[in-house]
Amino acid sequence: MADQRQEPRRRLGAIRIGGIAGVPVYVNWSWFVIALLIAYFVTPQVERISPGLGVWAYVAGFAFAVLLYVSVLLHEIAHVLVARKYGLPVRSITLQLLGGISEIEREPGTPWREFTVAVVGPLTSLVIGGVGFAVYQVQPLDNAVVELLVAELAFANLIVGVFNLVPGLPLDGGRIL
C-alpha cells in the first residue's frame, strides 16, 4: 500500500516543472495569468526605451515575468534547504498568482528553527535585489532593455523581501514574529 503522505503525480491546476533537492516544483495555472499581466505592464516600458522592437518587446516583458518567478523560486528554495537542514520533510514548492509556497509538513521544533526557516526567504529576496541593484549601478549594461530588466528585477526583489517581512500571517514576517 502506498504511503498516504507521498506526493501525488498530478495536482489539480498545476504543472510539475521539475524538482529541487528531491522536492517537486509545480507551477499553478494562475502563474500564467500573472505572467501575462506582468508582461503586459512591462512591455510599454520596454517599448519606451527601445522603440521598434515589435513582438520582441512582449518577449522581453514575459522574460521579466519569468525572471521574477525564478527569484521567487530561489526564495522558496531557501526555505526548503533550511527546513531540510533541520530534518523537516518538504512536500513541494508551488509557484502561483501571489508568489510561492513551500509545503513543509510539520513545524520546526524550536522558535529559533522557526525563525531561521522563515527569515531565509526574505533575506534571499533582499540579497537578489541588492546584487541586482549593485550590477545595475556598477556594471555598464550595453543594452537598454537588459538594463531595464535588471533594474526592475532588483526593485521587485527588494519589494518582495521587505513585504515578506511584514509581521502578519501567512507572510514570512508573521512566522518570524
Side-chain angles (χ1 to χ4, degrees), residues 15-151:
I15 301 167
R16 184 173 175 167
I17 60 168
I20 307 276
V23 176
V25 177
Y26 295 91
V27 175
N28 188 281
W29 66 268
S30 62
W31 176 86
F32 295 100
V33 172
I34 198 69
L36 291 173
L37 283 171
I38 290 170
Y40 177 78
F41 287 111
V42 171
T43 297
Q45 295 177 48
V46 172
E47 289 175 333
R48 183 180 46 80
I49 63 164
S50 193
L53 286 178
V55 72
W56 291 106
Y58 290 95
V59 171
F62 190 75
F64 172 75
V66 170
L67 290 172
L68 180 60
Y69 271 87
V70 166
S71 62
V72 170
L73 179 60
L74 292 173
H75 173 117
E76 296 304 325
I77 289 169
H79 288 307
V80 165
L81 293 177
V82 174
R84 282 280 180 90
K85 176 182 177 221
Y86 294 135
L88 300 171
V90 180
R91 184 168 294 172
S92 66
I93 295 172
T94 303
L95 300 178
Q96 59 179 359
L97 180 71
L98 297 176
I101 297 173
S102 298
E103 287 186 65
I104 301 169
E105 290 189 19
R106 65 177 192 265
E107 299 295 319
T110 67
W112 174 250
R113 288 181 176 186
E114 177 76 26
F115 173 82
T116 56
V117 169
V119 79
V120 72
L123 289 178
T124 299
S125 296
L126 292 170
V127 166
I128 292 168
V131 168
F133 184 72
V135 166
Y136 178 77
Q137 293 296 318
V138 175
Q139 179 64 36
L141 302 170
D142 295 330
N143 184 309
V145 173
V146 172
E147 190 172 291
L148 171 71
L149 296 182
V150 168

Side-chain angles (χ1 to χ4, degrees), residues 6-18:
Q6 193 173 22
E7 183 63 28
R9 289 187 181 262
R10 294 182 187 219
R11 286 193 161 203
L12 190 59
I15 301 167
R16 184 173 175 167
I17 60 168

Side-chain angles (χ1 to χ4, degrees), residues 138-175:
V138 175
Q139 179 64 36
L141 302 170
D142 295 330
N143 184 309
V145 173
V146 172
E147 190 172 291
L148 171 71
L149 296 182
V150 168
E152 293 290 329
L153 194 61
F155 181 72
N157 272 281
L158 292 172
I159 295 297
V160 166
V162 169
F163 180 74
N164 268 275
L165 289 172
V166 170
L169 292 173
L171 299 173
D172 295 325
R175 299 191 74 83

